[in-house]
Amino acid sequence: MNDRNDTHQSVVIIDDHPLFRKGLIQLLRTVPGFRLVAEAADGKEGIAHILHLRPDLLLLDLNMRDMSGLEVLKFVRQADLDTRVVMVTVSDAAEDLVAALRAGADGYLLKDMEPEQMVEALQAAAAGRIVVSEALTHLMAAALRREKRPDSVTDAGLTEQEQRILERIAAGLSNKLIARELGIAEGTVKVHVKHVLRKLNFRSRVEAAVWAVANQRGER
């Protein structure tokens, strides 16, 4: 991982489409604060780079020939690395989105985003926020509505602290940023997040975020 005195975010890109990979690299080079440390055309090579370099941010294709992005994502999470993982894919299928977020992705972006939107999303991800292409949030909300869960935070029995944490999850904040805002330890936030997810019957914080926003708008 980077020296934390270095303000640049180290980035690894894994994508088996050479043209898109090169385009993303060129885009990153136009943005201050990012430093590409490795690129890979397949999952196995990418994992070797990740274990060696421990990057701050991994930009990961979903559908690859030898090893899927989902398999790489699960490996990174099992390795307990502090790397933020953002899927960058052509798939706008709800099942792919939900599967990636439940496996621990910190974001899910579509490859056909405008370059300016992509830059903004990557900067937000690097800052510790959860990022999902705006075009996909309605798919996520629709998928969640089909599953049984409480109608409101009151029905879920969330404590006041858990409600405060859910509000910040909905705003896209990471555990580290939530801890800083609330003046509590990051480990304490992790425990609260687990309780929130269990009470709401979710397996990922992004699902909880989408549900909370819809709940606030009365869109359940």
Side-chain angles (χ1 to χ4, degrees):
M1 188 70 70
N2 276 350
D3 179 346
R4 289 306 174 188
N5 292 323
D6 179 3
T7 57
H8 286 75
Q9 295 277 320
S10 58
V11 182
V12 168
I13 296 173
I14 306 177
D15 194 300
D16 66 355
H17 294 89
L19 283 177
F20 180 80
R21 194 169 68 247
K22 297 303 181 188
L24 191 54
I25 290 169
Q26 288 179 353
L27 184 64
L28 282 176
R29 285 176 178 157
T30 69
V31 187
F34 288 111
R35 181 168 57 89
L36 180 73
V37 293
E39 60 174 293
D42 61 70
K44 291 177 182 176
E45 180 190 358
I47 283 174
H49 287 314
I50 293 162
L51 291 175
H52 176 62
L53 298 167
R54 304 178 72 87
D56 296 303
L57 183 64
L58 169 61
L59 304 182
L60 178 60
D61 189 15
L62 183 64
N63 299 309
M64 295 185 291
R65 286 183 292 274
D66 71 319
M67 185 179 189
S68 74
L70 210 56
E71 290 174 296
V72 176
L73 170 61
K74 289 175 180 176
F75 180 92
V76 172
R77 290 295 170 248
Q78 288 166 0
D80 201 27
L81 299 172
D82 197 25
T83 298
R84 296 185 63 75
V85 182
V86 176
M87 312 305 292
V88 185
T89 176
V90 297
S91 175
D92 59 1
E95 57 268 28
D96 286 338
L97 169 64
V98 171
L101 298 178
R102 285 180 172 170
D106 298 292
Y108 193 101
L109 303 176
L110 294 177
K111 287 183 176 182
D112 64 0
M113 290 175 71
E114 292 294 332
E116 297 80 7
Q117 292 177 318
M118 179 72 76
V119 167
E120 287 177 8
L122 295 181
Q123 288 174 324
R129 294 182 178 275
I130 297 163
V131 291
V132 176
S133 285
E134 195 172 332
L136 297 176
T137 53
H138 71 284
L139 286 178
M140 187 75 177
L144 299 184
R145 281 196 294 270
R146 291 193 292 269
E147 299 177 2
K148 183 174 176 57
R149 56 183 42 85
D151 287 332
S152 68
V153 292
T154 305
D155 291 343
L158 298 187
T159 66
E160 288 186 10
Q161 184 75 312
E162 287 168 352
Q163 289 183 42
R164 282 191 285 269
I165 286 172
L166 178 60
E167 287 169 4
R168 285 158 177 81
I169 290 174
L173 272 63
S174 65
N175 288 345
K176 189 174 293 184
L177 294 178
I178 294 172
R180 193 177 302 160
E181 277 203 7
L182 297 181
I184 58 179
E186 187 176 351
T188 303
V189 173
K190 288 180 180 178
V191 172
H192 283 305
V193 169
K194 284 182 181 177
H195 291 165
V196 168
L197 295 181
R198 177 176 52 79
K199 289 179 179 180
L200 292 176
N201 191 27
F202 288 124
R203 282 181 276 174
S204 78
R205 60 193 298 124
V206 183
E207 292 173 287
V210 172
W211 178 88
V213 171
N215 191 276
Q216 290 163 3
R217 293 175 179 167
E219 296 174 358
R220 295 183 309 280

